[in-house]
Amino acid sequence: MKTKKKLLDGVRMRRAIHRMAIEIVERNRGTEDLIIIGIRSRGVPLAERIAQRIEEVEGTAVPVGILDITLYRDDLTTIAPQPVVKPTKLPEPIDDKIVVLVDDVLYTGRTVRAALDALIDFGRPRAVQLAVLVDRGHRELPIHADVVGKTVPTDREEVIKVKLEEMDGEDEILIQERIEEK
Amino acid sequence: MRTQTSALRSKDLLGIESLTPEEISLILDTAEGFKEVSERPVKKVPALRGQLVINLFMEASTRTRVSFEIAEKRLSADTLNFAASGSAVEKGETLIDTAQNLMAMRPDMIVIRHKHPGSPKMLADLLPASVINAGDGAHEHPTQALLDAFTIRERLGRLAGVNVSIIGDISFSRVVRSNIHLLTKMKANVTLAGPPTLIPAEIERMGVRVVHSLDEALEGADVVMMLRIQLERQGKLSFPSLREYFNTFGLTAERLGRARDGVLVMHPGPMNRGVEISSDVADGPFSVILEQVTNGVAVRMAVLYLLAGAHLAEHQG
């Protein structure tokens, strides 16, 4: 994998997350009935950061959950070996709540499709919204994000690498190029 | 979508003996993810949608068969139960013919319980489907050992260094054989106790300690695993009477008082109350016997899920 460009450095990335938090509060006119749910794996620390920002600005704590979508993937019977399954942890029932799904990159939309199916098995939220740090285009399903940190046009050959301090030791977003393995 | 890779090497689960410690850990870690599925309002995920699993039970079983069936249904697989009684087996069909006929219906996995050791291996070599051993004679019962290990790990946080005492009918037990393989691979300390007539010669070579009294086995134990006296497998009793067995090796609340506080009492079931275990212990505060049953579903879901992946890898390879 070859790095082509740094899309956002740590400072700009944290600023984008801060703005996403504000936008979530703004579009929902407060924090009432909000639940922030991160999609494993990089959506989880992002969801926590967004909730933290909201609490700093609004002074109210927002419940945070974790969604594992592995078992709902549409490519489970075509990929091998199987991805590792981890538990889903929701802080409270999602019935009649406003769920904000959080992920790092929105690409084909298939992860979000799986996440919606997984979520519906836990109840009937009043609304589900989607917040992503990077929207890179190339959707294969009719899915769009409500809150976006950064929109960037990409080629399909490119890879968007989101690094988070909690998992990777530093904050940054890179555009990388897949090098063909011969 | 992202993938994290980790897999089993074989398309089949025939026993614990052939698994590596990494594979055992993978199954137990995966089972943690699946345990949560059984606690949801909708206890079902679409992971094995469209896959056909045949449960081939040629020997009596309630718990294991039901547990596998629930695991399969929670993964959205189609399941078909096949029992020896009421089938062509009664008309003299061989296991190989039965299996080949079933295979002609294109199942993806076969779960088999059979009284003859090695029959799952025979099917696995013969058929392209994944084969899971649900107990073969006195050989192995891998998913039981995995659910036991899962329960110990969940309660005590680890397997390495845990002192596990297994008491009772050692020689006729496939559960013990699988448990010894698993626990020694994971660096737990295993002690066996039972009447000398029910302890095979040279079993110490499997890396276990043998003692001949219950008190000795209870001393320092973190886990006490009581085994069922398998009257049906013995033909005749290997000890004077069931009453005498209970007096010598039966676990009572009084005797359990000699073990450390917080000791886990386990039993693979079905229990003979008043033979190997008294009711006050079986239903008592240290008993995790029903947790074992709950965990059995999660562990079997993990095995089915992981084998579906291994099966696929083989086809692609």
Side-chain angles (χ1 to χ4, degrees):
Chain A
M1 211 71 89
K2 197 179 87 194
T3 298
K4 279 172 79 177
K5 187 184 163 193
K6 188 184 278 191
L7 195 62
L8 288 183
D9 60 18
V11 175
R12 290 177 63 202
M13 182 171 135
R14 286 189 286 274
R15 221 174 264 150
I17 293 171
H18 186 82
R19 182 176 49 73
M20 287 168 71
I22 304 292
E23 265 188 60
I24 289 168
V25 176
E26 204 170 28
R27 52 180 292 133
N28 293 296
R29 298 185 182 84
T31 59
E32 204 181 331
D33 290 338
L34 273 189
I35 300 184
I36 314 271
I37 295 178
I39 300 174
R40 278 194 204 274
S41 53
R42 282 189 171 66
V44 176
L46 276 176
E48 279 159 9
R49 286 200 206 181
I50 288 173
Q52 208 181 340
R53 290 290 102 78
I54 292 178
E55 188 171 352
E56 282 165 18
V57 175
E58 293 292 305
T60 45
V62 181
V64 181
I66 299 172
L67 195 65
D68 185 283
I69 56 122
T70 309
L71 299 166
Y72 292 84
R73 295 170 62 124
D74 57 8
D75 55 355
L76 258 191
T77 50
T78 56
I79 47 164
Q82 308 282 73
V84 177
V85 179
K86 298 207 175 116
T88 285
K89 290 177 190 155
L90 300 183
E92 53 188 71
I94 58 169
D95 290 311
D96 296 319
K97 296 291 168 70
I98 298 168
V99 172
V100 181
L101 282 175
V102 178
D103 205 359
D104 57 346
V105 179
L106 178 59
Y107 181 27
T108 60
R110 287 177 194 269
T111 301
V112 176
R113 195 284 307 163
L116 288 170
D117 276 0
L119 203 60
I120 297 312
D121 278 354
F122 286 92
R124 187 181 185 280
R126 186 160 90 228
V128 181
Q129 299 168 1
L130 177 63
V132 296
L133 188 55
V134 180
D135 181 351
R136 60 168 293 190
H138 302 287
R139 219 76 78 234
E140 292 168 6
L141 295 169
I143 279 170
H144 81 102
D146 302 285
V147 175
V148 180
K150 171 95 180 157
T151 304
V152 52
T154 57
D155 289 336
R156 280 182 182 274
E157 293 69 41
E158 291 170 336
V159 173
I160 301 290
K161 174 76 190 160
V162 173
K163 289 192 177 178
L164 294 170
E165 210 175 301
E166 295 89 329
M167 304 175 77
D168 313 290
E170 58 182 331
D171 282 344
E172 64 179 2
I173 305 174
L174 305 173
I175 300 185
Q176 300 178 319
E177 195 164 26
R178 228 180 242 121
I179 296 165
E180 284 295 309
E181 285 172 46
K182 289 274 161 66
Chain B
M1 288 189 184
R2 293 172 299 258
T3 47
Q4 239 180 312
T5 55
S6 229
L8 300 178
R9 290 165 306 149
S10 167
K11 75 173 172 72
D12 311 296
L13 179 67
L14 303 177
I16 300 294
E17 193 177 0
S18 56
L19 295 180
T20 63
E22 292 73 32
E23 287 178 307
I24 293 167
S25 294
L26 172 66
I27 296 172
L28 299 180
D29 291 346
T30 306
E32 273 179 30
F34 281 111
K35 191 166 182 187
E36 175 261 314
V37 173
S38 297
E39 290 157 4
R40 297 179 184 183
V42 178
K43 300 172 187 60
K44 200 176 181 82
V45 291
L48 292 191
R49 202 171 46 189
Q51 304 236 356
L52 174 62
V53 184
I54 294 183
N55 299 313
L56 190 58
F57 279 73
M58 314 296 269
E59 194 188 63
S61 163
T62 317
R63 199 176 339 266
T64 305
R65 186 176 53 76
V66 168
S67 180
F68 265 110
E69 206 180 327
I70 293 172
E72 291 151 10
K73 288 188 192 306
R74 291 202 173 148
L75 290 170
S76 304
D78 294 316
T79 65
L80 191 147
N81 294 319
F82 186 95
S85 61
S87 73
V89 175
E90 284 186 336
K91 299 175 189 165
E93 189 174 63
T94 65
L95 177 63
I96 290 181
D97 281 332
T98 303
Q100 278 177 335
N101 276 280
L102 291 174
M103 203 57 220
M105 299 173 213
R106 302 269 175 273
D108 299 283
M109 293 194 229
I110 295 177
V111 178
I112 177 173
R113 152 129 350 156
H114 201 285
K115 67 172 188 283
H116 291 308
S119 21
K121 167 101 172 77
M122 186 177 75
L123 289 194
D125 291 344
L126 194 69
L127 307 176
S130 287
V131 176
I132 300 175
N133 180 2
D136 58 337
H139 176 228
E140 281 228 44
H141 190 356
T143 55
Q144 178 68 43
L146 287 163
L147 75 89
D148 290 341
F150 182 90
T151 307
I152 296 171
R153 206 179 73 155
E154 190 177 58
R155 280 300 195 118
L156 305 179
R158 69 203 155 91
L159 289 171
V162 171
N163 298 316
V164 182
S165 292
I166 307 177
I167 292 139
D169 189 345
I170 307 295
S171 58
F172 292 94
S173 174
R174 55 193 172 212
V175 174
V176 168
R177 224 162 305 277
S178 289
N179 258 307
I180 292 174
H181 284 307
L182 193 154
L183 292 167
T184 52
K185 276 175 203 271
M186 302 310 279
K187 309 267 185 271
N189 308 312
V190 181
T191 300
L192 305 178
T197 47
L198 289 178
I199 297 190
E202 299 197 45
I203 189 131
E204 290 93 340
R205 286 168 64 179
M206 289 183 81
V208 300
R209 185 172 74 110
V210 175
V211 297
H212 288 288
S213 83
L214 179 59
D215 288 347
E216 243 180 299
L218 290 175
E219 182 87 39
D222 301 305
V223 177
V224 184
M225 215 178 266
M226 302 306 294
L227 298 172
R228 187 170 66 93
I229 291 299
Q230 308 196 48
L231 303 167
E232 77 281 10
R233 250 185 267 277
Q234 292 190 44
K236 60 180 174 43
L237 285 179
S238 308
F239 42 83
S241 73
L242 291 177
R243 188 184 167 83
E244 167 149 346
Y245 183 84
F246 181 67
N247 289 336
T248 320
F249 289 102
L251 190 61
T252 60
E254 191 206 332
R255 307 187 88 156
L256 192 60
R258 270 163 239 180
R260 72 167 185 80
D261 199 36
V263 64
L264 302 183
V265 176
M266 303 177 71
H267 193 300
M271 283 186 280
N272 296 315
R273 288 172 185 259
V275 178
E276 68 265 1
I277 190 164
S278 70
S279 278
D280 53 354
V281 174
D283 308 325
F286 300 118
S287 166
V288 293
I289 295 169
L290 292 176
E291 270 174 50
Q292 288 174 268
V293 179
T294 303
N295 293 338
V297 175
V299 164
R300 291 180 175 113
M301 286 172 82
V303 167
L304 289 159
Y305 170 76
L306 290 168
L307 287 182
H311 190 192
L312 200 70
E314 195 157 278
H315 274 244
Q316 285 176 354

